[in-house]
Amino acid sequence: MGKATPTRRAKSVVVVIGLGRFGKSLALELMRDGHTEVLGIDSNEDVVQGVSGRLTHAVVADATKEDALRQLSVQESDRAVVGVGSDVEASILSASVLVEMGIPNIWAKAISHSHARILTQIGVHHVIRPEHDMGVRVAHLVRGRMMDYIEFDDGFAMVKTPPPHEVVGLSLRESNIRQKHGVTIVAIKQRGKGFTYATAETVVEAGDTLIASGLIEDTERFSELA
């Protein structure tokens, strides 16, 4: 019996509408893994020329027109991103066309709360506000001693932080962090090593870096103890 031929991971296609700073950065990052084909669309010919050869396809088209998108077979993709920022009308119209075409996963950039609300109302699945979200993240970093911060839904967050002095030299079981501070240590990075999963027997040392998860207020308070 011959050896089985390994199956190759099928390439997926992502449509990115609007190739400004956000859309261009996102499209190029998607290309990096080698398993994603990116169709970049922008109404500005100079912008499209700037990414020509760096994306799978880059075309000049009016993404607010359904006929134009159908000519590019956008309806065959299951993922699309509307990266249009300053032109709110173009953003909403493009997103609306994608919704009407039945694209199952649509992301869209919003520049304001009202813009985000409209995108949600017309059926966009994932609305993102990069500038707002980054401002929130940096505010948390400035406020405490945490080294990084990620906020999820329902007031939940993960933080990267040095360990509080009170837990240094103790195992996670002995320090009783979850009961005392309401956070869970999910990973730890010791000096000269990479991150690894934390267990009850993991001993925390000075110079270690912790990844703690929990409610936003609890993770903030925990990072301030470091």
Side-chain angles (χ1 to χ4, degrees):
M1 183 180 293
K3 291 183 178 179
T5 302
T7 57
R8 293 186 178 181
R9 177 179 163 191
K11 287 194 174 185
S12 59
V13 180
V14 179
V15 178
V16 179
I17 296 173
L19 299 172
R21 285 180 298 178
F22 174 77
K24 177 182 175 181
S25 175
L26 183 145
L28 292 175
E29 184 64 25
L30 286 170
M31 289 290 296
R32 286 182 60 187
D33 73 354
H35 296 287
T36 303
E37 294 185 357
V38 178
L39 167 60
I41 303 172
D42 200 285
S43 60
N44 187 311
E45 185 173 356
D46 291 336
V47 170
V48 171
Q49 285 295 326
V51 297
S52 180
R54 303 170 70 186
L55 304 182
T56 313
H57 306 285
V59 297
V60 179
D62 183 354
T64 67
K65 306 296 184 184
E66 183 172 348
D67 288 345
L69 295 187
R70 288 195 176 277
Q71 287 177 11
L72 296 171
S73 299
V74 169
Q75 70 277 10
E76 297 178 9
S77 176
D78 64 350
R79 289 175 294 169
V81 181
V82 180
V84 179
S86 56
D87 191 338
V88 175
E89 181 179 0
S91 165
I92 294 171
L93 289 174
S94 298
S96 178
V97 170
L98 293 174
V99 171
E100 288 294 322
M101 293 173 72
I103 306 299
N105 289 289
I106 304 170
W107 283 259
K109 173 186 175 182
I111 61 173
S112 67
H113 177 71
S114 57
H115 185 191
R117 185 177 67 251
I118 293 171
L119 289 170
T120 300
Q121 289 174 342
I122 64 175
V124 171
H125 310 100
H126 313 278
V127 178
I128 49 178
R129 296 178 59 189
E131 291 85 358
H132 172 269
D133 295 343
M134 181 57 71
V136 170
R137 178 169 174 265
V138 172
H140 284 282
L141 297 178
V142 170
R143 189 179 297 135
R145 292 196 60 193
M146 63 186 73
M147 303 155 67
D148 208 345
Y149 173 88
I150 303 174
E151 184 175 325
F152 300 93
D153 294 333
D154 302 322
F156 192 83
M158 294 184 72
V159 300
K160 177 181 177 183
T161 179
H165 299 299
E166 66 179 69
V167 306
V168 172
L170 301 176
S171 69
L172 293 178
R173 186 192 306 279
E174 293 170 328
S175 60
N176 210 21
I177 290 176
R178 185 182 299 175
Q179 285 70 31
K180 287 183 179 179
H181 304 289
V183 302
T184 300
I185 306 303
V186 295
I188 184 169
K189 184 179 186 298
Q190 299 171 324
R191 287 183 179 181
K193 300 181 181 179
F195 273 104
T196 185
Y197 291 112
T199 70
E201 308 309 319
T202 299
V203 176
V204 179
E205 302 291 352
D208 287 352
T209 301
L210 307 178
I211 302 294
S213 63
L215 296 177
I216 292 173
E217 314 86 73
D218 293 334
T219 54
E220 283 186 339
R221 281 196 294 265
F222 182 72
S223 69
E224 290 169 359
L225 298 173

